[in-house]
Amino acid sequence: MCGILAVFGCIDNSQAKRSRIIELSRRLRHRGPDWSGLHCHENCYLAHQRLAIVDPASGDQPLYNEDKTVIVTVNGEIYNHKQLREKLKSHQFRTGSDCEVIAHLYEEHGEEFVDMLDGMFSFVLLDTRDNSYIAARDAIGITPLYMGWGLDGSIWFASEMKALSDDCERFISFPPGHIYSSKQGGLRRWYNPPWFLEQTPSSSYDPIVLCKAFEKAVFKRLMTDVPFGVLLSGGLDSSLVAAVACRYLAESEAARQWGSQLHTFCIGLESSPDLKAAREVADYLGTRHHEFHFTVQEGIDALEEVIYHIETYDVTTIRASTPMFLMSRKIKSLGVKMVLSGEGSDEIFGGYLYFHKAPNKEEFHQETCQKIKALHLYDCLRANKSTSAWGVEARVPFLDKEFINIAMSIDPEWKMIRPDLGRIEKWILRNAFDDVQNPYLPKHILYRQKEQFSDGVGYSWIDGLKDHANKQVTDAMLTHASFIYPENTPTTKEAYYYRTIFEKFFPKNAARSTVPGGPSVACSTAKAVEWDAAWSKNLDPSGRAALGIHSAAYEEAVDAKNKSLLSGSPKKLQGVEEKAAAVI
């Protein structure tokens, strides 16, 4: 990942302003520690902090067209840049950077070229011939981008909020799949896939087509000139990424530079579910596995730094970002700059445990659509900013445009959880990779129950966070929360604690409005909470909150019941019996 900052229409174009832009751009240096660049043209500034992944030697930014009348600053990877270069043979390329095609595509096609890009990206482009500019963000919002407005009439774009929040009166999260054009004076959507309308699809399920599409998505993301690996939790999604990467690594250009043994990485508390499962998958695949441990206290000590980097107060995101943040630091210390990760699968296939309660295929499909549309506020934000905090780039093959279109065109009846037919969550994905002759994974891993990352690193992690928050936030503070935080009012002490940290770093109203709110259970949307009446009394984003579905929820209730039986307290016993009944 890189960091970009662009400002247009500044009244002040003095040396002091240039110094200020450099100072603000420096706030993004963690994203791109390899080089810094700045281009100034009249009252316009384009700054860049580079993380060199492709063509480290000559791909410094900003990038230009032949006569340097078009300037572009980009954060991302364009996986089809070689194919696009073939169509631009009349153009002269200065570097081997995958992002340079953007300047030349603009020359060739004007503003209507963004859909030609296959990758993850946020970019800002200035055409000095008429001082017009455009900004665009990838289809799903894998890379972050913010847009702001200064009191002097200037317009700002930045990879992270911290680079523009102090100098903009108002700012927003730039919507995924959109382009901003100064000529047309506003935002418009460039990404318009069939699933976006949320109409129930009817295509039949072909496991071979789904399998091949995912293999293609993984293979194209092996495009790198630096050491890389896979984040491996041992769950289905990351294990499939690792299995496919192992299978095709030898065929990739990366193998010629870095060898054909894949590196995998996992983090967790001692004896956590993820560590055990990841080790087993790594042994099966024959990867060079790196296992990292952290303590609850180490995670708590990192919370302020985590919230500063990920720029949210969402409880689920912070819970999962903290171990990912700690792991990324360890990964970078090994000299690795790029990793593949498994985000997006649960949204596409309805993998969260609450999908067991979906009343019909129509609501199931609508929920998956809503979840994908919101990924830029949750898992994409977490995966990108937690890793970028240490100069590591995360790539997410499940969010490949072509793969999403194929997966979202399947009749959702195939995605529905059907115990009567032996179909657990994400059955169609598991079945697509259930190859008896040449297995990708062991059966029990292929059919392992869903664990959210914040749960899988160790159940005591979330319990430790709650205990810590309970010590920091009094009952009175939570009672009066609606007066202190009238927008997105925190409803738990944990949420209140995170909010206080967030507001310390980002005190403006515009900042808190970039974070979504509303009730949720086990990562659901507010709408899906209605699927089960019991959930409204148990609004916790942990997967264990899906009462009656997660095996750990059942086991905890039974354990608590047994302990209460031993203690002999009638009042305690009654409460535990009610909890156990809800679970069963």
Side-chain angles (χ1 to χ4, degrees):
M1 284 294 110
C2 301
I4 65 173
L5 172 66
V7 189
F8 301 100
C10 297
I11 293 176
D12 176 13
N13 60 357
S14 64
Q15 179 59 39
K17 187 66 175 182
R18 181 188 177 97
S19 298
R20 177 60 175 167
I21 299 297
I22 292 172
E23 177 189 349
L24 294 173
S25 178
R26 200 177 293 133
R27 296 182 185 181
L28 303 173
R29 186 162 292 173
H30 54 274
R31 298 184 62 86
D34 296 333
W35 195 252
S36 302
L38 175 63
H39 182 95
C40 304
H41 175 76
E42 297 178 358
N43 60 356
C44 306
Y45 300 84
L46 285 86
H48 191 267
Q49 302 289 342
R50 188 187 185 202
L51 180 67
I53 303 289
V54 175
D55 185 26
S58 68
D60 293 337
Q61 295 194 37
L63 295 162
Y64 305 89
N65 65 338
E66 291 86 346
D67 61 3
K68 293 193 173 184
T69 55
V70 175
I71 305 102
V72 63
T73 181
V74 189
N75 167 35
E77 303 292 340
I78 309 302
Y79 303 121
N80 65 335
H81 74 105
K82 289 184 178 178
Q83 296 92 311
L84 292 172
R85 282 176 183 245
E86 287 296 313
K87 299 176 182 178
L88 296 165
K89 288 190 174 179
S90 62
H91 293 258
Q92 181 182 351
F93 286 80
R94 298 172 181 272
T95 75
S97 168
D98 53 295
C99 295
E100 191 180 347
V101 295
I102 292 174
H104 300 290
L105 285 170
Y106 172 80
E107 278 190 297
E108 198 74 24
H109 302 282
E111 296 180 355
E112 306 304 320
F113 71 90
V114 184
D115 197 30
M116 299 169 67
L117 302 175
D118 181 8
M120 56 178 185
F121 54 83
S122 296
F123 71 81
V124 182
L125 180 150
L126 170 65
D127 186 341
T128 61
R129 294 169 295 190
D130 59 4
N131 277 356
S132 64
Y133 56 91
I134 59 173
R137 191 176 183 188
D138 66 62
I140 306 299
I142 301 167
T143 60
L145 187 64
Y146 293 84
M147 179 179 183
W149 295 266
L151 287 173
D152 61 352
S154 58
I155 296 185
W156 297 59
F157 301 92
S159 294
E160 294 183 5
M161 192 160 54
K162 58 182 67 67
L164 53 69
S165 57
D166 290 346
D167 290 55
C168 290
E169 185 66 18
R170 182 170 175 261
F171 46 91
I172 61 170
S173 175
F174 194 99
H178 279 72
I179 181 172
Y180 177 86
S181 166
S182 64
K183 289 179 180 177
Q184 299 193 20
L187 289 157
R188 68 179 186 275
R189 171 168 286 282
W190 65 263
Y191 178 58
N192 296 288
W195 63 266
F196 208 84
L197 298 175
E198 300 183 17
Q199 296 172 350
T200 307
S202 58
S203 297
S204 60
Y205 164 53
D206 187 330
I208 296 175
V209 170
L210 191 65
C211 176
K212 294 303 178 187
F214 185 66
E215 289 181 328
K216 184 179 177 182
V218 172
F219 184 74
K220 72 174 70 167
R221 282 161 180 79
L222 299 179
M223 178 187 80
T224 178
D225 293 326
V226 299
F228 68 99
V230 173
L231 303 185
L232 178 62
S233 70
L236 174 68
D237 306 328
S238 64
S239 297
L240 284 178
V241 173
V244 174
C246 276
R247 191 165 288 198
Y248 290 96
L249 179 56
E251 302 175 18
S252 69
E253 292 182 16
R256 289 195 281 275
Q257 294 187 71
W258 310 111
S260 57
Q261 186 180 30
L262 186 70
H263 287 254
T264 51
F265 310 95
C266 184
I267 193 168
L269 304 178
E270 290 282 356
S271 305
S272 70
D274 278 2
L275 291 179
K276 180 182 176 183
R279 199 177 308 120
E280 185 177 3
V281 174
D283 289 344
Y284 178 82
L285 297 175
T287 71
R288 178 79 178 274
H289 190 56
H290 308 266
E291 185 177 287
F292 308 122
H293 303 108
F294 76 104
T295 65
V296 172
Q297 189 58 54
E298 286 171 336
I300 289 171
D301 290 343
L303 281 174
E304 289 211 6
E305 199 174 1
V306 169
I307 292 171
Y308 171 76
H309 276 289
I310 65 174
E311 304 180 322
T312 186
Y313 49 82
D314 176 69
V315 170
T316 315
T317 306
I318 294 168
R319 287 176 176 179
S321 292
T322 305
M324 198 170 193
F325 173 86
L326 296 173
M327 176 169 56
S328 297
R329 187 176 190 180
K330 291 280 192 179
I331 289 171
K332 188 59 182 286
S333 73
L334 297 174
V336 171
K337 296 172 73 172
M338 186 274 281
V339 291
L340 303 186
S341 192
E343 279 75 19
S345 172
D346 290 314
E347 287 74 15
I348 295 168
F349 296 104
Y352 293 110
L353 296 178
Y354 73 89
F355 275 93
H356 281 249
K357 298 286 187 176
N360 52 61
K361 69 177 185 179
E362 288 78 18
E363 288 196 46
F364 187 108
H365 181 69
Q366 288 168 9
E367 178 74 2
T368 59
C369 292
Q370 289 294 320
K371 292 291 291 180
I372 296 171
K373 291 176 182 180
L375 267 170
H376 68 291
L377 300 172
Y378 296 103
D379 283 19
C380 286
L381 179 149
R382 166 181 56 78
N384 184 282
K385 293 182 179 178
S386 297
T387 54
S388 292
W390 299 106
V392 177
E393 174 176 290
R395 298 180 180 178
V396 282
F398 279 108
L399 296 180
D400 181 82
K401 275 198 303 183
E402 183 181 348
F403 179 76
I404 292 176
N405 286 341
I406 290 171
M408 293 302 289
S409 69
I410 299 169
D411 187 332
E413 185 64 43
W414 287 98
K415 297 181 183 179
M416 293 280 285
I417 292 95
R418 294 284 303 274
D420 56 318
L421 298 177
R423 295 181 190 169
I424 63 172
E425 65 275 358
K426 293 188 285 193
W427 176 84
I428 66 168
L429 180 62
R430 301 174 197 269
N431 180 68
F433 287 89
D434 195 352
D435 189 333
V436 177
Q437 272 73 40
N438 189 17
Y440 289 83
L441 294 167
K443 283 267 190 185
H444 64 282
I445 293 290
L446 194 59
Y447 290 93
R448 182 191 179 203
Q449 187 176 43
K450 164 71 183 170
E451 293 277 10
Q452 283 165 223
F453 183 54
S454 53
D455 287 336
V457 296
Y459 292 138
S460 57
W461 166 234
I462 291 175
D463 298 334
L465 286 174
K466 290 179 178 179
D467 290 343
H468 179 70
N470 286 340
K471 295 173 185 175
Q472 309 303 313
V473 180
T474 66
D475 292 341
M477 291 164 71
L478 188 61
T479 300
H480 300 135
S482 61
F483 298 101
I484 304 298
Y485 304 119
E487 184 179 355
N488 279 352
T489 304
T491 57
T492 67
K493 290 185 177 180
E494 186 184 6
Y496 191 105
Y497 178 59
Y498 298 155
R499 184 65 171 271
T500 60
I501 297 172
F502 177 88
E503 297 270 345
K504 181 171 70 173
F505 293 124
F506 308 105
K508 288 188 175 179
N509 289 333
R512 67 184 65 104
S513 297
T514 64
V515 181
S520 176
V521 62
C523 289
S524 74
T525 65
K527 176 66 177 174
V529 173
E530 301 171 7
W531 290 350
D532 190 314
W535 287 348
S536 61
K537 303 171 186 175
N538 191 48
L539 295 175
D540 189 283
S542 167
R544 291 178 290 163
L547 299 181
I549 297 168
H550 196 287
S551 57
Y554 171 82
E555 289 161 9
E556 285 173 356
V558 172
D559 287 345
K561 181 177 179 180
N562 290 337
K563 287 177 184 175
S564 294
L565 282 169
L566 291 171
S567 68
S569 169
K571 188 173 182 181
K572 282 184 181 178
L573 178 59
Q574 182 183 1
V576 172
E577 283 177 334
E578 289 172 355
K579 182 180 178 184
V583 171
I584 296 165

